[in-house]
Amino acid sequence: DAGITQSPRHKVTETGTPVTLRCHQTENHRYMYWYRQDPGHGLRLIHYSYGVKDTDKGEVSDGYSVSRSKTEDFLLTLESATSSQTSVYFCAISDGPNTGELFFGEGSRLTVL
Amino acid sequence: GENVEQHPSTLSVQEGDSAVIKCTYSDSASNYFPWYKQELGKRPQLIIDIRSNVGEKKDQRIAVTLNKTAKHFSLHITETQPEDSAVYFCAASIGAGANNLFFGTGTRLTVIP
């Protein structure tokens, strides 16, 4: 498996609190992505990064922000968590814009009460 | 953006039988079509992909077919085994970059021993 670790793996929080999920890679891949996975919706792209400090929005970016200060770390922040953000979050990496394959992390299960 | 529909949502087959999962897409400019397999509690992993200049691709017991005119593509698994039980996701993108990758809603395949 590609060297991708997500933390925390499980988190329960309350509505209105800030939450940060971390993705760390050891593959030196340029591209990093955050997806959310929900029943009936498959995988939906939240934000992605194409380099240090270079990020862009995905399909479902409202309520989320990201930061990438180092090649190996990509952070996803929920400034004020809502129950609709209860989901499983997957980080993924790829080594180029045209290489296709995504390598996913193990996922982070977030529950917002 | 692209809209990818996937059917069926659940599929049960007897061990040794074949399984077929179908996807349609909306954007005729899409030219990259990967399939991901996600075992229970695990991360999604790429199992096969196809590009629009190819009509069919095989890898041992799995094959993918693409009909660009009809804008649909299918995953075929022959001689199914219990370890094929998983959720399968199709996806489509314009170019191979994951920032343009849209996933279907998934098919839960159960292979009955």
Side-chain angles (χ1 to χ4, degrees), chain A residues 1-57:
Chain A
D1 289 336
I4 312 168
T5 54
Q6 293 184 225
S7 59
R9 295 289 313 284
H10 301 273
K11 186 172 182 66
V12 180
T13 191
E14 295 188 349
T15 299
T17 60
V19 176
T20 295
L21 305 180
R22 179 180 181 243
C23 179
H24 179 79
Q25 60 143 331
T26 58
E27 305 296 321
N28 201 36
H29 282 355
R30 178 182 173 191
Y31 286 75
M32 299 185 75
Y33 310 85
W34 276 108
Y35 285 87
R36 60 177 291 173
Q37 183 175 39
D38 305 288
H41 290 278
L43 291 152
R44 293 180 292 175
L45 183 63
I46 305 171
H47 281 281
Y48 67 98
S49 169
Y50 47 96
V52 174
K53 298 190 187 305
D54 293 323
T55 64
D56 206 347
K57 297 179 179 180

Side-chain angles (χ1 to χ4, degrees), chain B residues 30-89:
Chain B
S30 290
N31 56 5
Y32 175 65
F33 308 92
W35 287 87
Y36 284 80
K37 175 183 179 183
Q38 185 179 27
E39 296 177 1
L40 187 63
K42 301 291 183 62
R43 70 190 81 192
Q45 292 187 301
L46 180 72
I47 56 171
I48 195 168
D49 58 11
I50 192 169
R51 298 180 189 272
S52 61
N53 57 343
V54 175
E56 182 176 4
K57 184 177 179 180
K58 291 184 180 180
D59 183 3
Q60 300 182 337
R61 294 186 298 106
I62 61 173
V64 58
T65 59
L66 171 64
N67 183 327
K68 287 218 70 178
T69 302
K71 291 190 284 187
H72 67 71
F73 56 113
S74 300
L75 178 71
H76 305 253
I77 306 174
T78 59
E79 302 174 14
T80 54
Q81 301 168 4
E83 52 264 39
D84 294 328
S85 295
V87 178
Y88 292 82
F89 292 97

Side-chain angles (χ1 to χ4, degrees), chain B residues 17-39:
Chain B
D17 288 350
S18 295
V20 180
I21 302 169
K22 299 180 179 182
C23 291
T24 61
Y25 60 98
S26 60
D27 194 331
S28 57
S30 290
N31 56 5
Y32 175 65
F33 308 92
W35 287 87
Y36 284 80
K37 175 183 179 183
Q38 185 179 27
E39 296 177 1

